[in-house]
Amino acid sequence: MPVRVLFVCLGNICRSPVAEGLFQQKVEAAGLGAEIEVDSAGTGGWHVGAPPDARMTATAARHGTDLSRLKARQLTRADLDHFSHVFVMDKANLHDTLYLDPDGDRSTQVRLFREFDPEPGDYQVPDPYYGGDDGFEQVYAMVDRTCDAILERLREAYAI
Ligand code: 4NP
């Protein structure tokens, strides 16, 4: 597929899975399932093979987004060669992702996800893992509107 999008967070059980689920849903709703590949990964390996956090899955399900079939995996150097666009959730993720290819120049390929948020705040998606339920709602809302903005940008850039 010409456009290959990867979302990255730390554990690949909260923020990047909800981005993957929402973005995939929007891609399919736009009829672009054959044009845009969507995936997610975590910079850390603690949760490899695990489904998304139950609180994130429940929040997404309340809004009509199914995360139940996703499984956590760890980001690799090969991902940087495969995906055309890598959107990371916070600045630690940005550092850890770029560090997989320390001699490369990947500053246009690897971007903070919330650079594209119409209300970008501090440009990072807060980690909801250790907080209360409203953290998951806030993450869902910011990921939802940012995914809309990213899809619009990609459609313009690739004329699809
Ligand atoms: P995520 O959240 O990066 O949004 O998937 C986290 C999940 C687990 C941990 C940290 C962040 N953890 O340390 O286990």
Side-chain angles (χ1 to χ4, degrees):
M1 286 185 225
V3 189
R4 299 178 300 280
V5 175
L6 182 68
F7 299 101
V8 171
C9 65
L10 176 62
N12 194 209
I13 57 167
C14 295
R15 294 165 293 174
S16 61
V18 77
E20 177 185 349
L22 262 165
F23 199 74
Q24 183 71 55
Q25 199 175 12
K26 294 175 192 298
V27 163
E28 283 166 18
L32 294 170
E35 267 76 41
I36 306 182
E37 178 183 343
V38 186
D39 197 4
S40 67
T43 59
W46 311 281
H47 300 284
V48 168
D53 186 284
R55 297 163 295 176
M56 194 75 257
T57 302
T59 300
R62 270 199 301 280
H63 292 278
T65 305
D66 179 20
L67 305 183
S68 65
R69 286 183 294 276
L70 300 181
K71 291 240 178 306
R73 72 176 185 87
Q74 189 168 15
L75 180 70
T76 67
R77 166 63 215 261
D79 287 319
L80 297 183
D81 293 327
H82 178 72
F83 288 95
S84 49
H85 302 274
V86 180
F87 298 102
V88 305
M89 296 295 148
D90 63 31
K91 291 176 184 173
N93 305 152
L94 184 62
H95 171 270
D96 292 341
T97 299
L98 293 172
Y99 192 69
L100 289 172
D101 180 22
D103 299 323
D105 177 8
R106 296 186 179 271
S107 54
T108 54
Q109 177 196 9
V110 181
R111 307 284 283 272
L112 281 171
F113 177 78
R114 287 189 81 196
E115 260 189 70
F116 303 91
D117 187 344
E119 305 161 52
D122 71 351
Y123 293 90
Q124 306 185 82
V125 181
D127 185 347
Y129 191 69
Y130 296 104
D133 281 345
D134 58 336
F136 289 87
E137 282 293 335
Q138 285 162 13
V139 164
Y140 186 91
M142 67 178 69
V143 169
D144 189 19
R145 66 179 185 249
T146 304
C147 281
D148 281 333
I150 288 174
L151 184 56
E152 201 171 306
R153 285 280 287 263
L154 291 174
R155 294 190 72 167
E156 277 174 29
Y158 290 90
I160 52 177

